[in-house]
Amino acid sequence: MTKIINSNEELIDIDDEAQNANQQIGYAWEEEYKRSWDVLQEDEDGGLKHTVEHLQSRKRKRLERDTSIIKRGIIRHMFLIIDLSEAMLEKDLRPSRLDLTLSYAEQFILEFFDQNPISQLGVIVSKSGVAEKLMGLTGNPMDNINVLKKKNIDTDGEPSLQNALEMARSSLIHVPAHGSREILIIMGSLTSCDPGDINETIDNLVSENIRVSIVGLAAEVQICKLMCKKTKGTYGVVLNEAHFKDLLFEIIPPPPVSIVKSKSELVVMGFPRGVNESMPSLCAWYDYACIYRNAVKGISNL
Amino acid sequence: MVDLKKAIDAGGHCLLEMPSGTGKTVSLLSLIVAIQANYKEKRKLIYCSRTVPEIEKALAELRNLIEYRTKCGEKDEYLGIGLTSRKNLCINSSVNQEKWGKVVDARCRNLTASWIREKSKLYPPGEVPLCNFYEKMENDNERQRMLIPDGVYTLEELREYGKEQGHCPYYMARRTIPFANAVIYSYHYLLDPKVAELVSKELSKDCIVVFDEAHNIDNVCIESLSIDITKPNLDASAKSIAKLRDVIEDIKKKDSQRLRDEYDKLVEGLMAASQERDEDVYLSNPILPEDLSHEAVPGNIRQAEHFVAFLRRFVEYLKTRMRAQQVVAESPMSFLQNCREVTLIERQPLSQRLTSLVRTLELSDLNDYYALHKVAAFATLVATYEAGFMLILEPFENDTIPNPIFHYACLDASIAIKPIFRRFKTVVITSGTLSPLDMYPKILNFQAAVQESYSMTLTRNCFLPLVVTRGSDQVAISSKFEVRNDPAVVRNFGQILVEFSKIVPDGIVAFFPSYLYMESIVAMWNDMGILNEAWKHKLIFVETPDAAETSLALENYRKACDNGRGAILLSVARGKVSEGIDFDHNYGRAVIMFGVPYQYTESRILKARLEFLRENYRIRESDFLTFDAMRHAAQCVGRVLRGKTDYGLMIFSDKRFARADKRNKLPRWLNQFITDACTNLSTDMALVTAKKFLRTMAQPFERDQLGVWSVEDVERQERSNVGVGGRAAQFN
């Protein structure tokens, strides 16, 4: 089911852009001009086959990649860190880096819970050198989306990678070992204002099996590259709006499980069981007899 | 490679320009090693590089190559060795803690000089300090022919080996040079006549000499023959003359026999020397051209006390000259004339006489006599050369502070390098930036059999040169003298810095034409608030003339680039940073050249040199200045690109860079990427292009190498032009 949705989205991307263009704040002449016909280049015979194939190949790549058989962890604990520095006000992505990021983040959250229904997600933002947790780990997509509504968000100063990572780490450290621990950073700034040595933080992340993936909006930053490489995450820098979405949505399919963790083969799942007891018994929480006791217990296991 | 082979076969000299980071060193080495292995007569490779790290790198490359050859079944006994100063090689813990190279040299001599060792035999052990490593080596040496086993040793390994065997690595390396197949050391060992005499004397004629990173070779030549003498130098030498006299008096009382011996030896030695020179097997010393060295040491300085008196007179003479209030520039001839009139001193070679005297007197503490040596060398040089030199006396520093300096400036770069071209059959000069190629044969006065500039084959356009000619307010920017302090220009320069600090990740290196200009511009930026603006995005570091401060700034700069804070390094186009230090990958994502790095044209030495070049080699002043400026600019921007996976922006911000005559002087590999579209940009246009470039470059890089030939390709090439590519086939 999800796969079908994916491919549909690929096709209606153009509509998305048209929609974005409507929200546009700046004037048209403020932007870098774009010649959409440049994308189409004829080959020697004057045909467009090659170009069209190229455009389609991206989609195919994604589908092809999904065919290989690897074990994926489906219980994920992820923090989405959004950079709210001044650099996010740049308008090189339309309508602006910030607006685009927020709208994609919303789509991302929905899609994430759609494909990873029993995972949890939290949101952290970082501005003027501090990190702020907008929402702790939760299984409800709407909680996350609501905190990202535009009115709550303003930008200031520089981000602090280290603070944000430490905050995410302190929350992720307690999650059970059977789920994956992940951090996704959307980073518009090229600098980070850190209180200490970020390399120590990276080493801690590595030792705690936290995977850090970063989507950069401007250019390649060495420390990000290093961090993603060490923690086995992915690092991508966006070329344009559509590429931004691609990079972001690449994170959504569950990652392969690392061998170290896979010792817990099976996870105990609880479902309500109807047990008929011969006589009424006392419930631990309420003062009255409760015949649903076992059923409630089952749910709480979940 | 083919060109190099041609040159070596033809026995001529060759000039090659190859872009940095494309395996220049290894391709040179592999070809030469192959030639060495395949020809009967063993030709030695002498590979000269500029700095110690570069020597290390070349040695490591050589070792990889030899390992590769062994793996491919080639059996060859190969000995490659590197040589550097005592300071870098010494393993004697009491000596190598000294910071200054000169002190290390002096202390080493104190421990190893022959007379000290003689002396120690007379006294009980422990009385006279000696260097254990040197002693052990000498002892082993007497017992069996000491040789380092075959292999290639980097400097560090040499030290390790020395420690293991208890031998002194420095002397070990020096003694091994005659036996080694490849020697890698600094230019100075070959070019500087004072040092070359010690180290490079026994090199045979058919050696292949390679000068790597040789874009500054003319300056090295000139420096090696130029001497500056200051007031403190003279004072110090006067003092040491007095000391010398005391010692002589002392010795005269005690044993006049030794002085006698010395005198005899001197006369004998001179005879021997002239015989040797007749045979012409040695590198003829450029300090002493034929006519002078045939002359015996004149009678009036043979006697030690006479010689000392002579020196004293000379120093006094220089002192009186220094009292002059106005700038004097004169040719060596007129200086000598004047000198003779005033002090009755004839032109004579002085420094050798001094060395021999010092040896006889067993003065081990050479450090004290350093200044005197300098004066003696000065006198010798003045006496030796007539053409191509200029004496300049500058009584004031910056026209105000009295600090008299005697410059004895060499104007002709070809003098120092002439013996090398004459002696060795093949000299290869190579660097990343040699354009325009016809300039070097002219100023170094040689004929090149092959000169070639190579372009680069790249999988992706990994650097983007941008010529920014005006600011966003359309005011033309330039570091021209008339407009360089114009607030509009300064503001536009600042704008470029701020804007690029916003969009470029990690490190930015900015180059200014001079320290003076950098200081004034940074002060103006501070007033305009531009620095505060840039501060928000990146930390700012500044290069200063002080080496220690600069290396500290560099260290912190690297740290800031590593931890994601980002940094800007403001430095100077002719400074230390622009020459030896690489800003690869994140340490330099962009280089900004503020202005064209012309030399300071008011300098009298430069003026004299320009005049000389015009008169003797018919090079116009402006041509030479532009050539010099552009080669430094190319050198600066070349710092960011060290290898194929690297990428970087190169921003030339001066309207003069847009002119075709300037651009033509840039190396070919750089020029091929300067498109017309990006030669005349304003700041904001450059920003848009740069942004796009950085995004594209950040995409994952599939490593499919272009320009790698398989064996079949080589064979095909060989068939098409038989015989030329033959040698190349082995290594591709």
Side-chain angles (χ1 to χ4, degrees):
Chain A
M1 178 61 196
T2 50
K3 238 164 234 173
I4 297 166
I5 289 175
N6 269 349
S7 46
N8 280 345
E9 289 217 352
E10 198 75 37
L11 294 177
I12 56 173
D13 253 353
I14 302 156
D15 293 345
D16 277 0
E17 273 188 35
Q19 193 195 337
N20 287 337
N22 290 337
Q23 305 167 359
Q24 193 172 309
I25 305 161
Y27 295 105
W29 56 81
E30 282 183 346
E31 298 150 14
E32 179 191 349
Y33 66 88
K34 202 175 193 177
R35 296 188 295 182
S36 52
W37 59 88
D38 273 356
V39 183
L40 300 176
Q41 278 176 348
E42 296 177 356
D43 52 20
E44 306 88 70
D45 313 326
L48 287 174
K49 202 172 155 217
H50 186 74
T51 318
V52 174
E53 266 176 8
H54 181 73
L55 286 176
Q56 283 179 343
S57 68
R58 263 203 325 220
K59 181 174 119 198
R60 222 180 301 132
K61 224 195 305 184
R62 186 142 104 206
L63 293 181
E64 273 164 16
R65 200 171 42 208
D66 281 354
T67 56
S68 59
I69 305 167
I70 32 170
K71 197 160 134 195
R72 295 178 182 276
I74 54 161
I75 303 179
R76 305 171 71 185
H77 304 272
M78 179 186 275
F79 264 104
L80 177 63
I81 297 177
I82 298 179
D83 165 18
L84 288 183
S85 62
E86 276 176 354
M88 293 299 280
L89 293 175
E90 292 266 330
K91 288 189 177 138
D92 50 358
L93 298 172
R94 276 165 296 166
S96 79
R97 283 185 188 175
L98 182 65
D99 291 335
L100 192 72
T101 306
L102 292 180
S103 82
Y104 279 168
E106 199 177 314
Q107 292 176 30
F108 173 79
I109 291 166
L110 285 173
E111 185 71 25
F112 180 80
F113 281 111
D114 204 20
Q115 291 200 28
N116 308 284
I118 49 173
S119 300
Q120 297 198 319
L121 188 79
V123 177
I124 292 174
V125 295
S126 174
K127 60 183 171 187
S128 44
V130 289
E132 187 188 348
K133 195 188 283 177
L134 291 187
M135 181 52 71
L137 286 174
T138 163
N140 185 355
M142 290 325 285
D143 287 350
N144 283 317
I145 290 173
N146 283 333
V147 296
L148 287 181
K149 285 295 176 220
K150 178 81 175 121
K151 59 179 183 298
N152 300 332
I153 304 286
D154 54 341
T155 58
D156 190 26
E158 297 152 359
S160 171
L161 267 182
Q162 197 190 11
N163 284 338
L165 287 171
E166 285 292 347
M167 184 173 278
R169 190 172 74 92
S170 62
S171 301
L172 285 174
I173 219 168
H174 304 295
V175 307
H178 56 72
S180 71
R181 305 160 173 182
E182 289 170 71
I183 296 174
L184 170 64
I185 306 176
I186 301 177
M187 179 104 174
S189 169
L190 292 173
T191 126
S192 155
C193 181
D194 296 329
D197 186 5
I198 194 163
N199 291 308
E200 278 173 25
T201 310
I202 295 177
D203 291 341
N204 289 338
L205 291 172
V206 173
S207 64
E208 279 148 24
N209 270 324
I210 300 177
R211 188 191 301 259
V212 184
S213 299
I214 300 178
V215 176
L217 302 188
E220 183 183 85
V221 180
Q222 186 69 13
I223 191 75
C224 296
K225 200 176 168 189
L226 187 86
M227 178 154 54
C228 293
K229 204 173 154 217
K230 276 190 175 169
T231 60
K232 304 191 185 67
T234 56
Y235 181 48
V237 176
V238 306
L239 287 170
N240 50 39
E241 291 83 352
H243 189 230
F244 184 11
K245 193 166 183 178
D246 284 349
L247 286 177
L248 208 55
F249 280 41
E250 262 175 29
I251 317 286
I252 290 177
V257 181
S258 66
I259 300 128
V260 194
K261 270 194 306 179
S262 60
K263 54 181 183 266
S264 57
E265 292 279 316
L266 296 168
V267 181
V268 186
M269 295 274 179
F271 290 100
R273 262 183 309 166
V275 179
N276 289 324
E277 295 197 23
S278 53
M279 59 172 69
S281 58
L282 282 175
C283 180
W285 307 321
Y286 300 104
D287 280 345
Y288 53 89
C290 169
I291 56 163
Y292 297 117
R293 197 192 68 151
N294 287 326
V296 171
K297 221 177 180 179
I299 290 168
S300 71
N301 264 345
L302 233 172
Chain B
M1 255 189 180
V2 174
D3 289 323
L4 181 64
K5 171 85 168 60
K6 256 189 238 165
I8 293 175
D9 283 350
H13 309 309
C14 132
L15 198 62
L16 301 173
E17 180 180 69
M18 290 188 261
S20 46
T22 51
K24 181 173 50 193
T25 314
V26 76
S27 51
L28 276 176
L29 286 177
S30 52
L31 180 68
I32 293 173
V33 169
I35 287 179
Q36 283 180 324
N38 284 294
Y39 281 82
K40 287 286 160 302
E41 81 267 35
K42 287 277 177 201
R43 296 180 75 173
K44 189 179 287 194
L45 164 65
I46 304 170
Y47 190 94
C48 301
S49 201
R50 199 177 41 188
T51 56
V52 178
E54 273 163 6
I55 294 172
E56 284 274 16
K57 246 185 325 199
L59 278 168
E61 294 264 21
L62 183 62
R63 196 190 30 205
N64 285 345
L65 179 74
I66 299 292
E67 267 166 24
Y68 179 74
R69 281 177 66 91
T70 328
K71 217 164 61 192
C72 293
E74 298 272 344
K75 274 268 178 267
D76 38 20
E77 292 158 357
Y78 204 84
L79 180 60
I81 207 154
L83 180 62
T84 173
S85 67
R86 288 188 179 91
K87 180 173 171 284
N88 297 320
L89 279 181
C90 187
I91 49 173
N92 189 331
S93 54
S94 68
V95 177
N96 66 11
Q97 272 150 10
E98 301 287 347
K99 276 204 188 72
W100 300 100
K102 276 187 201 103
V103 183
V104 175
D105 284 1
R107 300 233 5 217
C108 179
R109 268 188 222 112
N110 283 353
L111 295 179
T112 56
S114 53
W115 61 85
I116 300 258
R117 300 183 55 243
E118 290 295 323
K119 203 155 123 198
S120 75
K121 279 180 193 152
L122 303 177
Y123 293 98
E127 193 86 341
V128 179
L130 288 173
C131 177
N132 296 336
F133 298 103
Y134 187 80
E135 291 304 311
K136 175 117 193 297
M137 186 175 76
E138 284 292 308
N139 290 341
D140 289 357
N141 226 355
E142 279 160 21
R143 261 179 273 128
Q144 84 249 8
R145 287 302 302 151
M146 182 250 356
L147 272 186
I148 310 180
D150 284 344
V152 178
Y153 295 85
T154 63
L155 300 178
E156 193 50 46
E157 282 165 344
L158 202 62
R159 288 183 58 160
E160 288 295 314
Y161 181 79
K163 265 183 204 158
E164 224 171 80
Q165 301 281 317
H167 291 172
C168 172
Y170 175 75
Y171 282 101
M172 195 160 65
R174 258 178 65 173
R175 301 225 168 130
T176 327
I177 286 178
F179 310 102
N181 301 79
V183 185
I184 301 185
Y185 53 38
S186 147
Y187 294 161
H188 296 278
Y189 288 120
L190 208 53
L191 286 178
D192 193 332
K194 287 160 257 169
V195 195
E197 201 185 348
L198 287 178
V199 180
S200 316
K201 213 156 124 190
E202 291 137 23
L203 299 174
S204 71
K205 220 176 138 173
D206 52 359
C207 294
I208 300 169
V209 180
V210 179
F211 288 103
D212 198 1
E213 305 289 338
H215 44 270
N216 268 344
I217 196 166
D218 55 325
N219 290 343
V220 176
C221 293
I222 284 176
E223 267 162 37
S224 68
L225 285 182
S226 299
I227 287 185
D228 290 351
I229 288 188
T230 57
K231 196 85 189 265
N233 279 149
L234 283 184
D235 291 342
S237 49
K239 236 178 265 162
S240 36
I241 287 173
K243 218 186 210 172
L244 209 56
R245 202 181 46 211
D246 290 348
V247 176
I248 290 173
E249 290 292 323
D250 211 29
I251 287 178
K252 223 172 168 179
K253 274 180 219 145
K254 276 194 276 183
D255 64 299
S256 53
Q257 182 57 37
R258 202 157 71 196
L259 277 184
R260 189 76 232 157
D261 286 350
E262 190 242 346
Y263 178 78
D264 293 342
K265 218 190 295 172
L266 195 68
V267 177
E268 254 169 54
L270 274 169
M271 270 155 64
S274 66
Q275 271 165 15
E276 273 166 4
R277 243 172 273 274
D278 287 340
E279 288 159 19
D280 196 23
V281 279
Y282 292 128
L283 179 64
S284 59
N285 187 348
I287 278 214
L288 298 171
E290 313 293 305
D291 52 336
L292 265 183
S293 54
H294 280 304
E295 281 174 26
V297 173
N300 58 355
I301 58 166
R302 281 184 200 164
Q303 290 286 341
E305 57 267 52
H306 294 169
F307 176 66
V308 171
F310 174 84
L311 271 180
R312 205 182 57 225
R313 273 214 313 273
F314 187 69
V315 171
E316 284 304 320
Y317 171 69
L318 285 182
K319 271 192 185 162
T320 29
R321 288 299 301 262
M322 278 210 176
R323 287 199 200 104
Q325 288 299 308
Q326 68 275 50
V327 177
V328 183
E330 58 184 343
S331 69
M333 271 312 258
S334 77
F335 175 81
L336 287 174
Q337 197 74 31
N338 192 317
C339 184
R340 195 160 78 195
E341 277 163 20
V342 179
T343 59
L344 303 171
I345 294 175
E346 300 265 356
R347 44 189 284 215
Q348 284 131 6
L350 297 178
S351 69
Q352 279 189 332
R353 181 69 185 84
L354 181 65
T355 322
S356 94
L357 185 69
V358 165
R359 196 164 294 145
T360 340
L361 297 183
E362 302 183 353
L363 296 169
S364 46
D365 217 354
L366 276 184
N367 215 4
D368 294 348
Y369 294 95
Y370 173 68
L372 187 59
H373 252 291
K374 210 166 164 185
V375 173
F378 173 79
T380 317
L381 277 175
V382 174
T384 312
Y385 294 111
E386 281 150 27
F389 283 80
M390 183 66 90
L391 264 162
I392 294 167
L393 173 68
E394 280 185 343
F396 298 110
E397 195 178 353
N398 295 337
D399 293 333
T400 44
I401 312 150
N403 178 21
I405 296 180
F406 239 119
H407 299 288
Y408 184 65
C410 173
L411 305 177
D412 189 355
S414 63
I415 292 177
I417 206 168
K418 208 175 180 179
I420 292 165
F421 281 129
R422 211 168 44 202
R423 175 134 172 266
F424 299 113
K425 257 198 330 217
T426 309
V427 178
V428 181
I429 293 181
T430 172
S431 167
T433 48
L434 284 175
S435 292
L437 284 174
D438 50 349
M439 194 63 116
Y440 282 88
K442 261 194 212 165
I443 54 179
L444 296 179
N445 199 10
F446 72 101
Q447 233 104 71
V450 177
Q451 41 176 298
E452 198 65 50
S453 173
Y454 300 97
S455 58
M456 220 174 188
T457 49
L458 288 172
T459 354
R460 50 177 195 174
N461 289 352
C462 63
F463 60 93
L464 177 71
L466 295 170
V467 180
V468 179
T469 55
R470 54 221 141 87
S472 29
D473 52 0
Q474 305 301 321
V475 175
I477 48 175
S478 171
S479 66
K480 231 197 267 175
F481 191 72
E482 301 85 58
V483 296
R484 56 162 52 177
N485 287 324
D486 184 358
V489 170
V490 175
R491 194 183 53 241
N492 273 326
F493 275 151
Q495 204 65 35
I496 290 174
L497 190 74
V498 172
E499 291 299 331
F500 276 96
S501 73
K502 275 186 200 161
I503 65 153
V504 176
D506 301 327
I508 298 180
V509 193
F511 287 104
F512 293 86
S514 69
Y515 284 113
L516 218 63
Y517 186 47
M518 179 166 82
E519 273 164 29
S520 81
I521 215 169
V522 169
M524 281 170 91
W525 280 352
N526 195 17
D527 294 343
M528 291 174 180
I530 285 170
L531 284 189
N532 286 336
E533 192 67 26
W535 225 294
K536 280 187 199 156
H537 307 284
K538 297 206 185 299
L539 305 179
I540 299 175
F541 297 97
V542 180
E543 184 198 0
T544 57
D546 181 2
E549 246 174 58
T550 305
S551 58
L552 190 70
L554 261 175
E555 197 187 297
N556 285 324
Y557 169 80
R558 276 169 204 259
K559 220 196 240 161
C561 292
D562 272 335
N563 66 17
R565 184 69 187 83
I568 302 172
L569 184 69
L570 303 177
S571 53
V572 172
R574 282 152 206 283
K576 180 173 165 250
V577 170
S578 73
E579 278 295 329
I581 293 161
D582 290 350
F583 295 98
D584 50 346
H585 296 98
N586 60 326
Y587 298 125
R589 284 294 181 217
V591 180
I592 309 179
M593 293 287 314
F594 289 115
V596 185
Y598 279 117
Q599 283 189 52
Y600 174 59
T601 44
E602 295 301 300
S603 146
R604 296 197 172 80
I605 299 174
L606 180 64
K607 273 184 180 162
R609 181 160 181 220
L610 286 176
E611 200 173 309
F612 178 84
L613 284 175
R614 191 189 58 214
E615 279 168 9
N616 292 288
Y617 296 122
R618 285 179 298 287
I619 299 171
R620 275 188 302 162
E621 282 106 327
S622 62
D623 272 355
F624 181 77
L625 284 176
T626 317
F627 151 74
D628 187 68
M630 293 319 278
R631 92 177 150 184
H632 275 101
Q635 197 55 34
C636 290
V637 297
R639 298 287 101 203
V640 284
L641 204 67
R642 304 325 270 178
K644 288 194 172 184
T645 53
D646 203 358
Y647 66 88
L649 285 165
M650 301 172 174
I651 298 144
F652 299 92
S653 57
D654 192 307
K655 101 179 170 228
R656 289 173 289 176
F657 279 117
R659 294 229 301 265
D661 64 318
K662 301 281 188 301
R663 265 189 293 141
N664 288 343
K665 291 204 167 67
L666 285 174
R668 193 167 137 205
W669 57 269
L670 197 61
N671 237 331
Q672 91 195 56
F673 287 101
I674 302 184
T675 53
D676 282 338
C678 50
T679 49
N680 193 7
L681 298 169
S682 66
T683 311
D684 39 355
M685 283 153 75
L687 280 174
V688 172
T689 326
K691 254 186 206 170
K692 203 189 267 167
F693 170 77
L694 287 171
R695 288 224 165 103
T696 329
M697 282 298 121
Q699 300 315 310
F701 172 43
E702 281 105 28
R703 222 194 146 92
D704 50 339
Q705 278 221 327
L706 280 181
V708 171
W709 285 14
S710 63
V711 177
E712 293 86 69
D713 287 331
V714 178
E715 276 165 4
R716 202 178 321 125
Q717 169 78 17
E718 201 168 353
R719 252 171 273 133
S720 64
N721 47 359
V722 183
V724 180
R727 197 58 56 209
Q730 282 195 331
F731 287 102
N732 273 309

